[in-house]
Amino acid sequence: MNNLSTLANQVQGLAEAFRVMAYELDRQGLLDRQRLQARLRIHADENPAMATLPAAAQVLNSLADTLLTDFLTARGQSPEQIAAAMTPDRTGAVTG
């Protein structure tokens, strides 16, 4: 395995660990995954440091997408409803 592949696997492993941790904290009522995914997006879009780290911003947005999908799936949303929630404003706001 080359260095780039190793690095990609390490990043994926960290992303999965983050996802599991967010799920557990949400399940225990200690974290709101919907709010967390919105904050990740805001950080990726508005933090000036992210302008020089486009890959990091992409990872944050990908994590946010995963958290939003998990959040909506846990609440019984259909794949169509989940796709509709992935709006261009990327807030993932859930109404109703």
Side-chain angles (χ1 to χ4, degrees), residues 28-80:
Q28 295 173 25
L30 301 172
L31 177 86
D32 181 337
R33 280 184 287 175
Q34 184 185 15
R35 181 167 290 163
L36 177 59
Q37 66 83 26
R39 292 295 306 146
L40 289 172
R41 292 181 202 288
I42 290 167
H43 187 77
D45 294 342
E46 296 179 3
N47 184 327
M50 291 293 110
T52 61
L53 302 168
Q58 183 179 3
V59 168
L60 292 177
N61 280 309
S62 178
L63 282 170
D65 288 346
T66 299
L67 289 174
L68 179 59
T69 299
D70 291 349
F71 172 84
L72 295 172
T73 299
R75 280 147 184 82
Q77 300 290 310
S78 70
E80 294 79 17

Side-chain angles (χ1 to χ4, degrees), residues 16-26 31:
E16 287 300 313
F18 183 84
R19 182 181 181 195
V20 169
M21 181 181 65
Y23 170 79
E24 285 300 320
L25 291 172
D26 186 47
L31 177 86

